[in-house]
Structure formats: structure tokens, C-alpha cells
């Protein structure tokens, strides 16, 4: 693969990502795939989808897990509902994430990814220790499929994410860096965070956002905006990735699935911006 191939977050069926025909129409060569719902997550679905990708010359670079009952409505709801952190759903979701890893293997994909949830701050607490245990169990399953697991960033600070990765003590745990999330969740300057966690970054999102007002940071969302219009600073972001030696895909994420026309237009503009920046500094 060329350095910094453009990518986009896509869905097999109706989901958070863009539809496959949009990926084709925009000529985007790589995708991260949002795992389809349990009912359609079959070997046949994998085979059919992989066929469509091969025909279109599209490479699947990661499969993202997500779960029924997750809601990003506001930050407190996200804390309560997302990932493997909530204890009531933890066991079932770990099982489902293993199945998503198996589905990714059927797609020939060696990277799975997820929002693990807000990693508890107390490293000696039961919730943190329980999360460590299931993360190890999941990583061992993922390793059995020859895969690594990339954690999406933003729900904790870069320092705490580094502590968690060190505490897990597995060699197939990495990071999917999302600079906008650091801003949206109010967890730190994205460029400083990227420099800190750089050695673990194996995939990235190209997404932009603006900070919430200082007194609201971490309590209320910042705003997700079209790439290049927010506070990340795309040129600095790419230069930092270059300094870190990152040459993997630049996967565009635009989380406005409720407005498909605008999503497509914004992604088209993001492709142009990244293509121009890549030519200049890649
Ligand atoms: Mg993201």
C-alpha cells in the first residue's frame, strides 16, 4: 500500500459509516468497517462484502466493534453506555467482540478496534481490575486470529491510556488515534496527546472538532465539524504523524449519518484537503 492512503469509515448495512456506493463514487481506496449488526454478521455477509471490496479495489484496514445499547447522546450517557466498561453488559459485549474479531478474520482483516469506554481512574479499583482481565481475555482471542486491537482515543487522557495499555501487558494492544475526540471529550490537546501515545498509534481518524466553552469541557460535547474547519489543525496533525513515522491510512470520519447528502459532500471535501496536504508534506 502507498503511504497515507485515504480511507473512510463505512458500514456494510445502514449504520454510522458511509454507504459502500459513496466510497466507490468518491474513489476512496481503503475503509474502516463498522461491524454489522449481529443478525447480519455471518460468514456469507463477510464473503459477499469482501467480494464487493475486491471488485472495487478497496482494502479493509480495520473492523470496528459497536454494541446494542450504546448512546453518545451526551457525555454522561456515553460514560454509562459505551464499550466494555459498563459492568452489567461487560461479559456479553466481550463475547460479542470476540465474534466481531472472528468476522474480521473472515474479511481477511488483521485489525479490530473499539471504544472500550471511559477507563476508570482508580487503577486499584475493582472496575479497573475487571476491565484489565476482560481486555486480556479479548486480546488473547484476537491474537488467536492473528490480529491486533486498536483502542479509540478521547474518553480518557493520553497519560491514563498509556497506564492502561501498560497494565494490560499484551503485545497486540494499540491505538486508533482520533484527534477530534480529545477536543470533543475535553481530554487534552490532540497534538500533545498524539506525541505522547505515538509509539502505539497503528491507525488514525481524520476528524475535526471545536472545543466546548472552558467551564463545560469534559461535561458537554464540543462540536464535530467538517475536516479543516475545527481546532485540530490538520497540517500540524499530519506533520506530527509524519514525525512519528506513521504511514498507515488516513481514515476520514464524519459523524453525521442523519444527513447523508451533507456527509457525502463533507467527505468529498476532506478527501481533497488530505490529498493536497499529503502532496505537500507527505
Ligand atoms: Mg473516531
Amino acid at each position: 500500500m502507498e503511504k497515507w492512503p485515504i480511507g473512510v469509515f463505512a458500514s456494510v448495512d445502514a449504520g454510522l459509516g458511509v454507504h459502500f456506493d459513496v466510497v466507490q463514487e468518491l474513489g476512496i481506496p481503503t475503509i474502516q468497517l463498522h461491524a454489522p449488526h449481529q443478525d447480519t454478521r455471518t460468514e456469507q455477509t463477510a464473503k459477499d462484502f469482501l467480494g464487493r471490496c475486491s471488485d472495487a479495489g478497496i482494502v479493509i484496514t480495520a473492523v470496528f466493534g459497536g454494541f446494542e445499547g450504546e448512546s453518545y447522546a451526551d457525555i454522561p450517557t456515553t460514560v454509562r453506555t459505551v464499550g466494555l466498561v459498563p459492568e452489567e453488559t461487560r461479559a456479553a459485549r466481550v463475547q460479542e467482540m470476540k465474534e466481531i474479531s472472528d468476522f474480521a478474520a473472515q474479511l481477511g482483516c488483521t485489525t479490530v478496534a473499539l471504544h472500550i469506554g471511559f477507563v476508570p481512574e482508580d487503577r486499584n479499583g475493582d472496575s479497573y481490575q475487571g476491565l484489565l482481565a476482560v481486555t486480556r481475555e479479548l486480546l488473547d482471542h484476537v491474537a488467536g486470529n492473528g490480529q491486533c486491537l486498536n483502542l479509540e482515543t478521547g474518553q480518557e487522557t493520553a497519560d491514563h491510556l498509556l497506564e492502561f495499555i501498560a497494565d494490560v501487558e499484551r503485545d497486540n494492544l494499540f491505538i486508533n488515534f482520533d484527534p477530534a475526540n480529545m477536543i470533543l471529550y475535553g481530554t487534552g490537546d490532540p497534538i500533545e496527546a498524539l506525541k505522547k501515545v505515538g509509539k502505539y498509534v497503528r491507525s488514525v481518524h481524520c476528524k475535526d472538532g471545536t472545543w466546548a466553552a472552558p467551564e463545560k469541557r469534559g461535561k458537554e460535547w464540543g462540536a464535530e465539524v467538517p475536516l479543516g474547519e475545527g481546532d485540530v489543525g490538520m497540517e500540524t496533525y499530519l506533520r506530527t504523524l509524519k514525525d512519528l513515522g506513521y504511514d498507515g491510512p488516513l481514515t476520514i470520519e464524519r459523524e453525521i449519518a442523519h444527513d447523508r447528502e451533507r456527509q457525502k459532500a463533507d467527505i468529498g471535501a476532506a478527501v481533497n484537503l488530505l490529498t493536497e496536504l499529503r502532496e505537500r508534506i507527505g
Side-chain angles (χ1 to χ4, degrees):
M1 213 169 1
E2 59 172 341
K3 182 183 172 181
W4 288 356
I6 309 273
V8 68
F9 212 123
S11 302
V12 173
D13 41 25
L16 299 172
V18 295
H19 290 303
F20 192 77
D21 50 359
V22 174
V23 183
Q24 274 185 293
E25 203 177 317
L26 294 173
I28 297 174
T30 76
I31 56 171
Q32 287 188 353
L33 188 69
H34 196 261
H37 189 264
Q38 207 158 17
D39 303 339
T40 49
R41 202 189 305 128
T42 63
E43 198 162 357
Q44 190 60 44
T45 311
K47 198 162 170 261
D48 292 347
F49 190 73
L50 193 55
R52 288 172 71 192
C53 287
S54 308
D55 290 348
I58 293 167
V59 176
I60 306 167
T61 61
V63 176
F64 253 78
F67 309 104
E68 199 77 42
E70 293 186 321
S71 168
Y72 294 87
D74 51 42
I75 291 180
T77 307
T78 309
V79 173
R80 219 174 49 242
T81 65
V82 167
L84 305 184
V85 174
E87 292 180 36
E88 322 77 68
T89 48
R90 188 180 279 169
R93 287 180 176 179
V94 170
Q95 176 55 34
E96 183 166 5
M97 197 61 208
K98 289 179 185 172
E99 293 164 17
I100 289 169
S101 160
D102 298 343
F103 181 77
Q106 290 160 3
L107 287 169
C109 186
T110 57
T111 301
V112 289
L114 91 161
H115 275 280
I116 202 163
F118 288 68
V119 174
E121 283 182 22
D122 177 7
R123 291 167 78 189
N124 296 313
D126 290 345
S127 185
Y128 186 88
Q129 290 297 322
L131 184 65
L132 279 183
V134 297
T135 304
R136 290 181 186 130
E137 179 191 325
L138 174 60
L139 283 164
D140 294 343
H141 182 93
V142 163
N145 282 327
Q147 296 161 329
C148 61
L149 175 72
N150 293 1
L151 298 180
E152 175 84 342
T153 55
Q155 296 174 336
E156 48 285 310
T157 62
D159 290 322
H160 194 41
L161 185 58
L162 288 174
E163 288 174 341
F164 180 70
I165 290 173
D167 288 342
V168 171
E169 296 180 312
R170 290 292 185 276
D171 61 6
N172 60 333
L173 183 58
F174 296 100
I175 287 172
N176 181 84
F177 192 82
D178 185 325
N181 281 355
M182 307 305 296
I183 291 173
L184 298 175
Y185 287 91
T187 40
D189 177 83
I191 303 301
E192 291 312 308
L194 176 57
K195 287 176 183 167
K196 280 185 182 173
V197 303
K199 68 172 176 170
Y200 290 108
V201 173
R202 291 289 180 93
S203 57
V204 302
H205 284 161
C206 291
K207 189 171 91 185
D208 216 340
T210 55
W211 294 95
E215 69 278 11
K216 291 180 178 168
R217 274 178 209 168
K219 300 188 187 81
E220 289 180 25
W221 291 125
E224 197 221 334
V225 298
L227 203 70
E229 296 180 17
D231 294 328
V232 170
M234 274 305 133
E235 177 159 351
T236 310
Y237 180 49
L238 292 196
R239 285 191 190 281
T240 308
L241 286 170
K242 184 182 178 183
D243 291 345
L244 291 167
Y246 177 83
D247 55 11
L250 302 176
T251 303
I252 299 162
E253 189 180 23
R254 183 72 175 111
E255 300 184 297
I256 48 168
H258 56 278
D259 187 346
R260 292 290 179 189
E261 280 307 306
R262 181 155 171 231
Q263 187 185 45
K264 183 176 161 186
D266 287 354
I267 289 168
V271 170
N272 293 340
L273 174 65
L274 291 176
T275 304
E276 190 255 314
L277 285 172
R278 186 176 62 180
E279 274 166 22
R280 191 138 49 86
I281 64 179

